[in-house]
Amino acid sequence: SSGINAEYGQEEVRLRQEEALRAREELLENMEQLAQETSRQTERTARERVDRRREIDKQTTARRRAEEEERHAEEAARAEERRAAAEYAEMVRQEAATMTKRGYVPRGKRNAWM
């Protein structure tokens, strides 16, 4: 009878070892799946970060370009104002020269020669 018990005990041990082996394999599979999911999540996060950075850079570039264009427009406007003022001053000089040729004496200088 002790032989039967020993045989039964060995069968029990073998079944438990198989169960433990199956549980270990399942655990390893789960860990592998988790590792893959973590890796995918990390890649996704990295991609999102790169995309966000790219978007920020794009906005920064657009803002800089707009500021640069605004600066150029302001400089062009000032240059146009200077050109118009110089043109007007030249017109006034020519007008004054023409009037002087015709004998006009500016009010402040009328009595200076007397």
Side-chain angles (χ1 to χ4, degrees), residues 18-36:
E18 282 179 12
E19 182 57 37
L21 190 61
R22 270 197 299 276
R24 193 175 296 123
E25 286 172 354
E26 195 177 314
L27 179 64
L28 286 172
E29 276 179 33
N30 289 344
M31 287 171 71
E32 179 59 30
Q33 286 176 353
L34 181 63
Q36 287 174 357

Side-chain angles (χ1 to χ4, degrees), residues 43-75:
E43 285 174 24
R44 192 164 34 245
T45 303
R47 267 197 310 274
E48 288 168 0
R49 194 173 292 128
V50 167
D51 291 347
R52 253 195 320 275
R53 183 74 248 166
R54 216 174 267 141
E55 187 55 36
I56 289 170
D57 287 350
K58 223 185 292 176
Q59 290 171 3
T60 303
T61 301
R63 190 174 60 244
R64 278 198 199 116
R65 192 175 296 128
E67 289 168 357
E68 189 68 21
E69 287 171 6
E70 195 177 331
R71 212 169 16 257
H72 284 315
E74 287 169 0
E75 287 169 12

